[in-house]
Amino acid sequence: MNEFSLIADYFAPLAGEGAFGLKDDAAALRVPEGRELVLTKDAMIAGVHFFVDDAAGDIARKLLRVNLSDLAAKGAEPLGYLLACMLPKDTPEPWIADFAAGLARDQKEFGITLLGGDTAAGSATLCLSLTALGTVAKGTMLRRNGAKAGDDVYVSGTIGDAALFLKSGQWSMVSGQEEYLRQRYLVPRPRLALGRALIGVASACLDISDGLAADAGHIAEVSGVCLELEAENVPLSDVARACVAQDEKLWETVLSGGDDYELLFTAPPEKAAALAQAAQKSGVSVTRIGTVTQGAGVIVRQGGQPMEFARKGWTHF
Ligand code: ADP
Ligand code: MG
């Protein structure tokens, strides 16, 4: 296997319109009339973002999905993606095959194709980087900065499952529970349909990757407001609910652990009906977890008392 046969055998079959079968230096892409590009990149490092022995196909799907989650948070429609693989020299060919198969599977599910990338061998650690391109109608991209005092705060799906998986060695779980949490960690679900439906409804939106409390802080900061959240209202899966019932200290993991890839957004009360319709149309549950007030930062209350966190979310440094 050399670099060129690797690209031809495993990546070229994933190439879409404009990629020239990955046989040119670059791709050429037409942005549909009246729309503009939305661009995002997420990198993943073995041992930091995934376990070295996770299945290659699952790693590929997570890499693509965390980027699609950023597009979802901006209300964008996926268009294509660029992929950089920095591989250890001894990466076995079946690993590459499985990796490409994972991409193929999710490309079909989300309607996105590969436009190009780069491949290098010799890295001490497996490193991957993916750039996703999407489009929105001009000037409509959902932003983090539009939350206003008086808005409600909402979250999609359920929170805390992935973070609980990472801590699952620390208490005894009923069989089946760990596998549920592991799947939530390994294969996040980008809320693309919901994100698109939130255009014209949400006043601010982001996807939760670092942790609910920390990411709420990002909206608060750029919007110049305070987000007041009620822990009791945060939607949990049955498994997560069982975990926090067993050990209430796990609430902190749920609210600050991250890797949720759910949408956190704000909307004015008069949009509540439109929002309910958006949620129904996209088949994703949406739960009101708080309100936006004048002020700064994030307050998370439990039983009426502000919670103290050792840290509100994940940071690399
Ligand atoms: P160059 O050396 O001119 O940058 P490369 O030999 O690196 O070109 O790449 C040749 C083609 O293969 C380009 O179209 C590039 O986008 C594509 N390509 C290389 N690696 C990947 C990858 N990991 N995923 C997708 N496309 C890739
Ligand atoms: Mg070139």
Side-chain angles (χ1 to χ4, degrees), residues 3-4 7 11 22-26 83 85 114 116-119:
E3 177 193 339
F4 301 107
I7 295 167
F11 294 135
L22 304 184
K23 288 191 177 118
D24 212 317
D25 293 304
L83 171 69
C85 301
L114 184 57
D118 199 22
T119 305

Side-chain angles (χ1 to χ4, degrees), residues 92-160:
E93 191 164 343
W95 191 95
I96 308 277
D98 187 25
F99 183 82
L103 290 175
R105 178 172 168 189
D106 274 1
Q107 283 193 188
K108 252 196 225 105
E109 176 158 354
F110 297 106
I112 191 167
T113 55
L114 184 57
L115 296 172
D118 199 22
T119 305
S123 179
T125 310
L126 169 63
C127 298
L128 302 160
S129 171
L130 194 146
T131 302
L133 284 67
T135 67
V136 289
K138 270 183 188 154
T140 65
M141 189 183 91
L142 297 171
R143 301 281 315 275
R144 291 180 174 188
N145 66 354
K148 298 247 169 4
D151 286 355
D152 293 309
V153 182
Y154 298 89
V155 73
S156 68
T158 61
I159 299 300

Side-chain angles (χ1 to χ4, degrees), residues 65-293:
R65 284 167 180 243
V66 298
N67 278 282
L68 289 171
S69 178
D70 279 320
L71 292 185
K74 302 300 101 186
E77 192 135 354
L79 190 63
Y81 68 99
L82 298 156
L83 171 69
C85 301
M86 284 136 286
L87 308 168
K89 267 224 180 324
D90 56 358
T91 304
E93 191 164 343
W95 191 95
I96 308 277
D98 187 25
F99 183 82
L103 290 175
R105 178 172 168 189
D106 274 1
Q107 283 193 188
K108 252 196 225 105
E109 176 158 354
F110 297 106
I112 191 167
T113 55
L114 184 57
L115 296 172
D118 199 22
T119 305
S123 179
T125 310
L126 169 63
C127 298
L128 302 160
S129 171
L130 194 146
T131 302
L133 284 67
T135 67
V136 289
K138 270 183 188 154
T140 65
M141 189 183 91
L142 297 171
R143 301 281 315 275
R144 291 180 174 188
N145 66 354
K148 298 247 169 4
D151 286 355
D152 293 309
V153 182
Y154 298 89
V155 73
S156 68
T158 61
I159 299 300
D161 295 321
L164 287 169
F165 167 70
L166 291 175
K167 289 218 163 182
S168 59
Q170 298 181 11
W171 72 97
S172 54
M173 275 201 277
V174 182
S175 78
Q177 291 189 332
E178 188 175 348
E179 188 49 31
Y180 171 81
L181 298 179
R182 195 175 97 90
Q183 283 305 317
R184 289 282 285 154
Y185 167 78
L186 217 51
V187 197
R189 298 194 202 116
R191 304 302 190 185
L192 286 157
L194 177 64
R196 281 201 294 269
L198 288 180
I199 288 182
V201 176
S203 50
C205 186
L206 55 62
D207 70 321
I208 304 169
S209 52
D210 296 336
L212 173 62
D215 284 318
H218 295 143
I219 289 183
E221 192 183 339
V222 293
S223 292
V225 292
C226 176
L227 267 60
E228 299 191 29
L229 312 180
E230 307 298 329
E232 284 87 352
N233 295 342
V234 172
L236 302 191
S237 66
D238 290 345
V239 174
R241 200 159 283 292
C243 293
V244 296
Q246 205 171 323
D247 181 354
E248 66 173 34
K249 283 201 295 294
L250 289 172
W251 269 109
E252 175 154 355
T253 301
V254 166
L255 299 172
S256 66
D259 255 329
D260 296 297
Y261 301 104
E262 295 291 351
L263 300 185
L264 173 69
F265 58 97
T266 59
E270 60 267 25
K271 298 276 186 183
L275 174 57
Q277 219 171 18
Q280 204 195 15
K281 206 172 72 183
S282 53
V284 180
S285 65
V286 160
T287 309
R288 184 178 168 273
I289 61 167
T291 50
V292 181
T293 58

